[in-house]
Amino acid sequence: MTAAPRPIGGASGAVGILIGLMEARTGQRIAANRAWRVESALKPLLRARGFESLDELVTALVGDAHRTLADETVEAMLNHESSFFRDPAVIQQVGKLVHDQQASAPGRRLRIWSAGCSTGQEPLSLAMLLTEQNVPGEFPDIVATDVSAGVIARARAGRFTQFEIQRGLPVRSMVRWFEPAGKDWVASPHLLARVQFRRHNLAQDVAPPGLFDVILCRNVLLYLSPAMRSAVLAKLAAALRPDGRLVLGASETVIGQTDALVPCRAYRGFYHRNDKMAASPAPATAVALR
């Protein structure tokens, strides 16, 4: 990193530069009225690195030839909020959708993409649910991705604190799928084997190869600029099978964002490709800032 990014997002000084770095790396934008979150999120990094202020951090970023400090800074600013069976009615509806799709396409292995999976609770919840529902046919291929290398490493390890394990996870599922490990809980190898965890940048990378029957991208679009949101939705639409479904967060929508997707009547809150438009893959973007 030879020069610090220009301040953007309405904030000035070091905070504006850090917000600019965040958006350049991940596509995620921190609103100026939430700039306080930057300093709060970076306090542990400042202490660990011995910096007295955000200004000192930005100065060090300019001379960070190997970009390791920039990686740590962006990781610290990312929001990794997640829980098991988050919005349980939505997860149950995904289970029903997978069951219906499997019944309508016997012999085809379904593919599910959990985009922005954080520490893995969402895809692991799906794996537990689909196993317990005895979905007919071959077990779906579940791909889970996140922009953060740190959370992907945690997800692959399947290790959760007592607080994390209690957030939304039924006791019967905890006993069946997890083992105590000191103060933590670790997912069984059988459960972890049902999910492929990969690092992926929704803003910069092309979608994982192949087409998907279900894509979950919940509470990710909220953090993107309008232009980036439209680009990501086009990318997700192009990654769906013609009969596939996209699942967004409760406060997210495709309306006014893209013409490539429309609301689904059969599954409330889900979206499918617009039959009147041929969804074409979004062009790959250079990954120079990774």
Side-chain angles (χ1 to χ4, degrees):
M1 182 173 172
T2 57
R6 291 186 305 168
I8 62 174
S12 60
V15 170
I17 290 173
L18 293 166
I19 288 175
L21 174 65
M22 176 79 159
E23 185 165 356
R25 285 292 193 93
T26 69
Q28 297 188 22
R29 174 177 290 181
I30 299 174
N33 63 356
R34 292 183 59 80
W36 57 267
R37 193 170 72 81
V38 173
E39 185 169 6
S40 176
L42 291 175
K43 279 183 178 179
L45 177 62
L46 294 178
R47 286 196 298 268
R49 287 280 192 157
F51 297 128
E52 294 292 332
S53 66
L54 294 181
D55 290 313
E56 285 190 17
L57 171 60
V58 168
T59 299
L61 285 169
V62 175
D64 181 25
H66 300 290
R67 297 181 179 173
T68 54
L69 179 58
D71 289 342
E72 290 180 44
T73 302
V74 171
E75 287 269 351
M77 289 190 289
L78 288 168
N79 183 357
H80 301 308
E81 177 68 18
S82 186
S83 62
F84 287 102
F85 293 94
R86 190 175 187 178
D87 300 323
V90 174
I91 297 295
Q92 291 293 334
Q93 191 168 208
V94 172
K96 180 181 183 304
L97 169 62
V98 170
H99 188 280
D100 293 346
Q101 288 179 321
Q102 199 80 291
S104 65
R108 186 180 84 192
R109 186 180 189 186
L110 300 185
R111 303 188 71 231
I112 300 171
W113 177 15
S114 171
C117 70
S118 187
T119 41
Q121 286 93 323
E122 176 178 88
L124 291 177
S125 297
L126 285 173
M128 287 183 274
L129 175 68
L130 298 178
T131 301
E132 292 167 2
Q133 285 186 342
N134 293 315
V135 173
E138 192 173 3
F139 194 82
D141 179 24
I142 303 177
V143 177
T145 65
D146 198 276
V147 69
S148 168
V151 299
I152 286 296
R154 281 200 59 203
R156 285 180 180 143
R159 193 180 188 98
F160 300 94
T161 65
Q162 184 70 40
F163 173 75
E164 291 169 329
I165 208 75
Q166 289 177 329
R167 294 189 68 194
L169 187 65
V171 173
R172 57 181 174 77
S173 296
M174 180 182 71
V175 172
R176 177 176 181 180
W177 294 109
F178 294 83
E179 291 289 338
K183 294 182 179 180
D184 297 336
W185 292 79
V186 178
S188 71
H190 180 61
L191 177 61
L192 289 174
R194 300 211 144 175
V195 181
Q196 303 170 47
F197 290 104
R198 305 175 188 172
R199 187 183 184 189
H200 178 269
N201 189 325
L202 269 174
Q204 298 180 350
D205 298 341
V206 297
L211 296 177
F212 293 89
D213 299 274
V214 184
I215 298 177
L216 296 98
C217 185
R218 300 193 295 161
N219 305 315
V220 175
L221 301 180
L222 294 172
Y223 300 100
L224 306 180
S225 67
M228 182 59 69
R229 199 176 301 144
S230 295
V232 167
L233 284 170
K235 187 181 300 185
L236 296 176
L240 280 173
R241 289 187 186 274
D243 59 347
R245 298 292 183 267
L246 170 66
V247 186
L248 299 179
S251 59
E252 297 171 322
T253 182
V254 305
I255 298 173
Q257 309 292 330
T258 180
D259 294 324
L261 294 156
V262 292
C264 176
R265 293 182 179 179
Y267 302 92
R268 185 177 179 182
F270 291 13
Y271 302 88
H272 61 81
R273 283 168 52 169
N274 188 348
D275 293 336
K276 297 179 181 179
M277 295 186 63
S280 58
T285 306
V287 198
L289 292 168
R290 287 190 61 182

